[in-house]
Amino acid sequence: MRERTAMSVFSSGYRERARRRYPVILSELLRLHSQPLCARTWGQYIIKDMVLRNLLRRLLIGDDEHCWTDDGVFNIEGGCYAKAINLSREQEPDIYDAAKFGAVLENVKYDLVTRDIDYKDNSLTENTRLSYPIFHIHNAKDVSMGPLPKNVIMLTCDAFGVLPPVSKLTPEQAMYHFMSGYTAKVAGTEVGVKEPSATFSACFGAPFIVWHPSKYAELLAEKVQKDGAHCWLVNTGWTGGPYGEGKRLSLKYTRSIIDGIHHGDLEKAEYETLPIFNLAVPKSCPKVPSDILNPRNTWDDKAAHDRQANHLANLFIENFRSFEEGTTQAILDAAPTPQ
């Protein structure tokens, strides 16, 4: 059996990192801000954070920048970059243990005598960071290369509480959401951000792209179709209400959703269409309560949910106006439809 990989495309917003990027020739490779994972028989690529990437059942190919070729994927960085605030071995053992000789800590305080690190200290900033070589992760692949993707997972953090925890995307929806690059700026990631707010970063990495976003989206669709990959949108944000009223989706459930995608359970699930965003939402997923899969079910005030959903849908449409010229009608038709 030919080995396959899964790929996640991460919501970025890392403008505070002035790291040099080398353009990739568009006609040959697709460069993604992503983190690929793979198992022995297939793989998966996720577009988001280190918490979801360090999953023991999968091998880590790399963090952030990868290229998707006709033969597979490869990493072009060789290291990882994670938030360090409140880091603990209990919550994230892989990342915690990666903070050793050869790693770099940013804005983190430590005891000058014992050299013990105080990950809870946010006196400099909430945005403390840890950078380390890929080989500091015990389940990293020896060679940062992987086979062709089976799944492409776009991760977002919805602060309005109206996007589903997971939805299966059509090729056109995949292009639309890839070009939109929606997520929320979370408190502490940028100066002045005190609470989550909507933000859009084209192709989940706007500062690093040089062509019109539709070129990258069309190349993504071409790769997906040619290699037979499935596309998903996974939301790690709020449920039961917006930020301040609802609660953050459980990481345990998000990991179960990733497992459901990885094992093919969601490919075989029964689906319903979510109004306004027109997304295909599964009615069930192993180890995830069915009532949270449709976000409207988690709100006590259904009318308030509908207002928030329409508000976010209009934000999508307004953001996409700058992309309309040069974008095919098929992608434009994948936009939300406010009611």
Side-chain angles (χ1 to χ4, degrees), residues 5-6 35-39 43-44 46 52-53 55 58-61:
T5 304
Q35 181 267 312
L37 306 166
C38 72
Q44 160 181 310
I46 302 177
L52 292 176
R53 297 174 234 175
L55 304 177
R58 302 163 179 75
L59 297 177
L60 178 66
I61 294 173

Side-chain angles (χ1 to χ4, degrees), residues 84-99:
I85 192 69
N86 295 320
L87 181 63
S88 68
R89 178 173 279 116
E90 292 72 28
Q91 293 295 320
E92 295 301 332
D94 291 334
I95 300 176
Y96 186 91
D97 290 339

Side-chain angles (χ1 to χ4, degrees), residues 70-280:
D70 290 339
D71 300 312
V73 298
F74 64 88
N75 175 257
I76 56 176
E77 290 198 347
C80 301
Y81 194 65
K83 291 181 180 180
I85 192 69
N86 295 320
L87 181 63
S88 68
R89 178 173 279 116
E90 292 72 28
Q91 293 295 320
E92 295 301 332
D94 291 334
I95 300 176
Y96 186 91
D97 290 339
K100 55 189 177 183
F101 184 79
V104 176
L105 287 161
E106 302 175 19
N107 301 317
V108 175
K109 287 195 171 183
Y110 65 95
D111 189 294
L112 294 176
V113 177
T114 65
R115 303 184 70 83
D116 290 334
I117 302 168
D118 185 359
Y119 289 112
K120 295 180 180 180
D121 190 309
N122 63 353
S123 58
L124 295 176
T125 177
E126 189 81 11
N127 192 27
T128 58
R129 296 282 179 163
L130 168 64
S131 302
Y132 50 91
I134 185 72
F135 56 78
H136 279 200
I137 297 295
H138 73 88
N139 62 320
K141 287 197 70 177
D142 292 335
V143 178
S144 295
M145 300 175 65
L148 294 170
K150 179 179 179 181
N151 293 292
V152 175
I153 305 169
M154 303 181 196
L155 297 184
T156 185
C157 174
D158 174 33
F160 294 96
V162 294
L163 286 184
V166 59
S167 52
K168 186 178 181 182
L169 303 176
T170 66
E172 294 75 20
Q173 288 175 330
M175 289 188 284
Y176 184 89
H177 284 277
F178 182 60
M179 289 177 65
S180 296
Y182 166 67
T183 188
K185 290 182 180 179
V186 180
T189 57
E190 292 186 17
V191 174
V193 177
K194 301 299 182 183
E195 62 182 46
S197 60
T199 185
F200 296 87
S201 182
C203 304
F204 295 96
F208 315 127
I209 65 175
V210 294
W211 288 283
H212 189 287
S214 66
K215 290 186 177 291
Y216 297 93
E218 289 167 1
L219 184 53
L220 173 64
E222 177 186 321
K223 294 285 188 183
V224 165
Q225 182 177 15
K226 178 181 177 182
D227 297 335
H230 302 291
C231 292
W232 311 83
L233 181 66
V234 171
N235 172 33
T236 64
W238 275 258
T239 184
Y243 171 81
E245 298 178 22
K247 62 181 180 179
R248 193 78 187 263
L249 282 160
S250 169
L251 179 61
K252 175 179 67 175
Y253 295 150
T254 301
R255 284 176 163 164
S256 293
I257 286 170
I258 300 298
D259 283 341
I261 293 172
H262 187 83
H263 296 305
D265 298 306
L266 291 187
E267 179 61 28
K268 297 176 287 187
E270 183 180 356
Y271 283 79
E272 61 180 331
T273 301
L274 187 72
I276 301 177
F277 294 100
N278 307 313
L279 296 171

